[in-house]
Amino acid sequence: MSHATIDANKALVLAHYDAVTNRHDPEAIRAQLAPDFFDHAAGKRLSAEDVIAHSAAMHETFADLSAVAECLVAERDIVAGRFVWRGRHRSPWRGIQPTGRHVEFRGMTFWRIQDGRICERWAEIDFVGLERQLRD
């Protein structure tokens, strides 16, 4: 695989974080995901509309939601990254009433790219640490 393709794959993943987390851009999300996108963390295929709904819910729950890549590496058709998310808790999340607290949590995600679109995702996100911030 060429360096140009690997760089394009990394740029796609960063653009996807921008569309889902930083801006909530449904049109970009639709363009970025393959029609048969499979999310291994969810254990099922998700449509672009499913991802858009998840993005909208996260933006409703966390004001000023943002994600930044702390590290991003790519090889062949896989892009892996360590990301930090930040926001302010403003509506219920997993049974926790709004706290108004600013939160920061991290995770590692692997993405597989095929034909210029995201077709698979594996994610390990520290939701336990997030919940600790909201409950303590």
Side-chain angles (χ1 to χ4, degrees):
M1 185 165 285
S2 74
H3 288 292
T5 300
I6 289 171
D7 288 344
N9 288 350
K10 289 167 68 174
L12 174 60
V13 167
L14 290 174
H16 187 65
Y17 274 94
D18 190 50
V20 171
T21 307
N22 298 334
R23 296 183 299 118
H24 181 68
D25 182 345
E27 289 306 312
I29 294 167
R30 287 183 190 101
Q32 294 160 347
L33 295 178
D36 60 346
F37 171 67
F38 192 89
D39 188 320
H40 293 271
K44 62 183 179 180
R45 293 194 187 288
L46 296 178
S47 69
E49 299 311 313
D50 294 330
V51 174
I52 291 165
H54 172 74
S55 172
M58 289 298 287
H59 281 270
E60 175 61 30
T61 302
F62 298 101
D64 306 316
L65 185 64
S66 67
V68 175
E70 293 184 318
C71 178
L72 196 67
V73 296
E75 185 173 321
R76 297 186 310 274
D77 60 350
I78 300 290
V79 177
R82 178 163 169 79
F83 291 84
V84 58
W85 289 262
R86 294 179 178 98
R88 184 177 48 78
H89 185 215
R90 69 174 172 190
S91 70
W93 188 77
R94 294 189 176 183
I96 302 170
Q97 293 304 308
T99 63
R101 293 180 182 164
H102 289 273
V103 295
E104 179 176 299
F105 56 101
R106 287 175 168 73
M108 297 182 68
T109 309
F110 287 72
W111 304 86
R112 190 168 72 80
I113 314 300
Q114 183 177 352
D115 299 326
R117 296 179 87 181
I118 298 168
C119 61
E120 287 184 88
R121 171 186 179 260
W122 296 261
E124 295 292 333
I125 300 171
D126 184 14
F127 288 131
V128 171
L130 172 58
E131 286 187 24
R132 192 175 308 117
Q133 292 175 64
L134 298 177
R135 292 188 190 279
D136 293 343

